[in-house]
Amino acid sequence: DWSSDVCSSDLNLTNWYIRLNRSRYWEAKGESFSSDKLSAYATLFEVLDRFGLILAPYLPFFAEYLNAALHHGLSAEGLAEHAVQSVHERLYVIPQTLSTGERALIDEMAIAQRAILLGRSLRAEAKIGLRQPLSRMKLAWLSELEAHHLRDREEMVLSELNLKELVFLKDGTGLVVESVKPNLKRLGQRMGKKLREVQEVLRTWGSREIAEFESAGFATIAGERLEKDDLLIDRKAAEGKCAGALEGLVAELDTTLNPELLREGLVREMINRVQQRRKEMKLQLTDRIQVRFAAGGLCAEILAAESSRPSALSEETLAKSWKEDLPDETQKREEFPEHGNSWFAFELEAIG
């Protein structure tokens, strides 16, 4: 329905397009914006502008404000003081048919989003945060076209899930245990005597048939068209697996943590703490810093190596130097008990 489509569009805009393009919006200011930054803002403007037109009949006052803000830079208060063209006086834009390339891009993002959402749910199930890198995720029951699209967006999926590798499998058997049964609330009276025949057919279904049903959105059984709400699909990870499924896509997350992955995860936690401190100090995004610290455990090993071999810790925090001359008791410790009681305390100084 309309509200569902609007919510879906809003989530795609904020949780995906804007979030994934933050680096383009945050590009350092110079004499002029780069063409890439201008393109990012132009796309966002057009989407918001068309979104306001679509909303106008349903949310007239908000659409009016959005139109005034986009085209005239007016606040809600300023709108009452200036005579500007109303959004309700504008003509709708004639829809255009998507090109082959545009349709392929939409399909690529759709399968990438499914893989990312499934990967996040598996991380949550395993209680492993996104800052902790993992080695791989196995994916199964992809069509050839879906696998091709996902490989085109593989770098994004790896980045979003903090993985090293995606492994594509033709067969997901052994990853999850799947079963399907009729939704009796919907089919009980409607199917009548045919219900038993439907149940018998569904007992023969395996992962392949379930995946095909979810991909098509319907199946014909006993001469009746059955849609997604008519069937109840249950999935459980196979014993010893961190696995699951989403809309026909089956995945298994490798949760094995070796010393290298644990060290990289700790570096990401340390980056997060420094970035939080930068934000508290209201530093500019481009401000370089020098850091005074005290540390113990694996944190001490990581920081000792920064002076000679700067890593992502220095690169992402814009740290030019790390000096171990901070008394242990002077600052609150950032502690990481899951990493062998590692800790560090630090002070930042902006150096421009």
Side-chain angles (χ1 to χ4, degrees):
D1 63 333
W2 176 85
S3 60
S4 176
D5 289 340
V6 168
C7 290
S8 177
S9 297
D10 180 57
L11 290 173
N12 277 325
L13 178 63
T14 56
N15 288 358
W16 296 97
Y17 181 76
I18 293 177
R19 184 176 59 81
L20 293 176
N21 284 280
R22 282 180 299 187
S23 60
R24 299 171 71 192
Y25 298 124
W26 289 350
E27 178 188 284
K29 291 182 179 179
E31 294 182 1
S32 62
F33 284 176
S34 71
S35 59
D36 184 61
K37 185 169 185 173
L38 286 173
S39 177
Y41 274 105
T43 300
L44 180 58
F45 178 91
E46 184 172 353
V47 170
L48 291 174
D49 185 45
R50 302 288 176 87
F51 195 52
L53 284 172
I54 294 171
L55 288 177
Y58 308 96
L59 297 172
F61 297 110
F62 174 76
E64 192 74 274
Y65 159 67
L66 180 59
N67 180 71
L70 287 172
H71 290 275
H72 307 284
L74 296 177
S75 64
E77 294 77 13
L79 184 58
E81 302 172 3
H82 296 80
V84 297
Q85 183 188 33
S86 169
V87 68
H88 304 288
E89 298 174 321
R90 295 177 57 194
L91 298 176
Y92 281 107
V93 178
I94 298 175
Q96 297 180 355
T97 303
L98 293 174
S99 68
T100 303
E102 289 169 336
R103 172 52 60 188
L105 181 59
I106 290 173
D107 291 342
E108 285 174 13
M109 280 301 301
I111 186 63
Q113 286 174 320
R114 280 164 58 196
I116 291 168
L117 292 174
L118 179 54
R120 287 177 182 168
S121 70
L122 293 178
R123 272 186 172 271
E125 181 181 318
K127 298 181 180 179
I128 299 176
L130 274 171
R131 295 193 194 104
Q132 174 58 60
L134 294 174
S135 58
R136 66 183 62 84
M137 183 169 72
K138 297 177 181 178
L139 298 165
W141 298 127
L142 290 164
S143 68
E144 289 186 11
L145 183 58
E146 287 175 327
H148 174 74
H149 286 327
L150 194 52
R151 285 189 175 95
D152 285 342
R153 294 291 154 189
E154 186 170 355
E155 185 177 342
M156 183 184 77
V157 175
L158 293 175
S159 175
E160 285 290 293
L161 293 177
N162 197 7
L163 299 171
K164 302 299 182 184
E165 179 187 16
L166 292 181
V167 179
F168 295 87
L169 305 176
K170 290 184 178 181
D171 190 334
T173 303
L175 300 184
V176 294
V177 178
E178 299 177 291
S179 62
V180 59
K181 60 184 179 181
N183 185 344
L184 297 180
K185 290 183 179 180
R186 287 178 58 89
L187 299 182
Q189 291 185 344
R190 171 183 152 193
M191 299 297 293
K193 294 181 179 180
K194 290 184 177 181
L195 184 60
R196 183 179 295 277
E197 183 179 350
V198 170
Q199 291 173 320
E200 291 176 353
V201 171
L202 293 180
R203 289 192 190 100
T204 68
W205 277 23
S207 297
R208 172 64 67 182
E209 290 78 12
I210 293 174
E212 290 174 351
F213 166 72
E214 291 188 309
S215 177
F218 74 96
T220 301
I221 302 177
E224 297 286 340
R225 179 187 172 100
L226 304 183
E227 300 186 349
K228 289 188 176 181
D229 290 339
D230 296 324
L231 302 181
L232 300 176
I233 298 172
D234 181 59
R235 291 185 175 91
K236 296 179 181 178
E239 187 175 355
K241 304 283 188 182
C242 179
L246 177 65
E247 297 178 10
L249 176 64
V250 174
E252 180 197 4
L253 194 64
D254 186 343
T255 58
T256 305
L257 294 173
N258 58 35
E260 183 179 352
L261 290 173
L262 286 169
R263 182 186 181 97
E264 188 177 340
L266 180 55
V267 168
R268 284 178 175 261
E269 292 289 353
M270 294 168 72
I271 290 171
N272 174 260
R273 302 305 193 277
V274 175
Q275 298 290 46
Q276 287 181 2
R277 187 73 58 84
R278 285 181 62 103
K279 186 176 181 180
E280 292 168 3
M281 295 173 63
K282 298 181 179 180
L283 299 182
Q284 297 297 314
L285 290 173
T286 55
D287 282 347
R288 303 282 174 175
I289 59 172
Q290 59 185 18
V291 187
R292 299 174 60 218
F293 72 91
L298 186 54
C299 288
E301 293 181 26
I302 291 170
L303 292 174
E306 282 300 304
S307 58
S308 58
R309 299 188 303 277
S311 68
L313 180 56
S314 294
E315 180 181 346
E316 295 195 26
T317 62
L318 299 185
K320 297 295 289 183
S321 66
W322 299 81
K323 298 180 179 179
E324 190 175 7
D325 60 358
L326 190 67
D328 290 3
E329 68 277 3
T330 60
Q331 292 287 328
K332 177 184 175 182
R333 291 185 176 188
E334 300 288 349
E335 299 182 340
F336 309 96
E338 66 276 20
H339 292 279
N341 295 317
S342 297
W343 63 272
F344 83 127
F346 62 96
E347 290 181 351
L348 306 183
E349 180 183 351
I351 55 177

